[in-house]
Amino acid sequence: MNIELVLQERSGNQCELCKNDTALSVYPIPPELEASDEKAVLLCTTCREQIEQPELLDPNHWRCLNDSMWSQVPAVQVMAWRMLSRLMEEVWARDLLDMLYLEDEVMAWAKHGHAQEQEPEEVTRDCNGAELQAGDNVTLIKDLDVKGAGFTAKRGTTVRNISLTANPEQIEGRVNGVRIVLLTCYLKKAN
C-alpha cells in the first residue's frame, strides 16, 4: 500500500496537526529523507510551509496542537513537540509543552531531529527585559521580606556581583551580608 494512502487512512484524510482537509501531502519528519508511514505525517500546505519556513510562523495557527498533541501516533507527537518547542515565547505553548508526555524513545526522536533548531538557552532578564549576566549589579524595585533571615530588603538596594541560577527567573546575590535568591521580576539592571 502506498504511504500517502496509509497516512490518509490513519488521519481520516485530514492534516494530522490542524485537521485541515485540503491540499494534503506526505511530510517525512527530519532528519528522515525518505518517507515511511511510521516516520511521516500528512500535512496541509499551511502547516508544511510554516514548518519549513520559520519566518512564516503564525502562532495562532498552531493552537491546533492543543488537540493533535494527544494523538497516539508517535510521528504526530514528535511534530507537536517540535512545534511547541519552537513557540516557547507563547505562554499557551509553554503550558501545552509542560503537559505533553512522550515515551523516552519518542522524546529522543523528537530531540534528535530538532538538534539544528534547539531552543536557545533561556536568558535571565530583569523586570524591564534587559539581559542580566553573572557579575552585574541590580537594584530592587520593591521591598522584599527575606524569609528565614529576619529582615526586609528595601526598595532601591543595590545588589552587586550577582550570580545566575539554573532558573532564568532567579538570581543570587548578597543583601545585608546574607546570600539570598531573588526573583528577577523585582529587579532592574543597575547602570
Side-chain angles (χ1 to χ4, degrees), residues 109-148:
W109 175 22
K111 288 181 176 178
H112 172 70
H114 196 61
Q116 68 275 12
E117 307 172 8
Q118 280 299 328
E119 58 191 77
E121 200 124 333
E122 292 206 39
V123 175
T124 301
R125 298 189 183 279
D126 72 1
C127 66
N128 296 322
E131 187 174 335
L132 297 174
Q133 301 288 331
D136 282 349
N137 299 330
V138 295
T139 304
L140 300 178
I141 62 167
K142 178 181 177 181
D143 288 352
L144 301 173
D145 289 330
V146 180
K147 294 183 171 99

Side-chain angles (χ1 to χ4, degrees), residues 39-161:
K39 299 277 186 176
V41 289
L42 194 65
L43 296 181
C44 67
T45 304
T46 304
C47 287
R48 187 177 192 123
E49 285 175 350
Q50 290 188 39
I51 289 169
E52 293 175 343
Q53 301 172 47
E55 66 275 6
L56 299 177
L57 196 64
D58 173 16
N60 287 324
H61 173 76
W62 294 103
R63 289 182 180 270
C64 61
L65 296 174
N66 187 40
D67 295 324
S68 56
M69 70 184 234
W70 301 111
S71 171
Q72 296 301 305
V73 178
V76 176
Q77 294 172 350
V78 165
M79 288 307 302
W81 184 89
R82 288 182 183 179
M83 291 311 299
L84 289 170
S85 294
R86 200 183 278 182
L87 293 162
M88 284 296 286
E89 292 103 33
E90 303 291 328
V91 173
W92 62 266
R94 272 195 311 271
D95 291 344
L96 290 179
L97 199 55
D98 287 343
M99 287 189 284
L100 182 59
Y101 171 78
L102 300 179
E103 296 292 334
D104 291 341
E105 63 273 2
V106 176
M107 179 61 86
W109 175 22
K111 288 181 176 178
H112 172 70
H114 196 61
Q116 68 275 12
E117 307 172 8
Q118 280 299 328
E119 58 191 77
E121 200 124 333
E122 292 206 39
V123 175
T124 301
R125 298 189 183 279
D126 72 1
C127 66
N128 296 322
E131 187 174 335
L132 297 174
Q133 301 288 331
D136 282 349
N137 299 330
V138 295
T139 304
L140 300 178
I141 62 167
K142 178 181 177 181
D143 288 352
L144 301 173
D145 289 330
V146 180
K147 294 183 171 99
F151 69 90
T152 299
K154 296 292 185 185
R155 179 176 147 191
T157 301
T158 299
V159 181
R160 300 185 190 292
N161 198 20

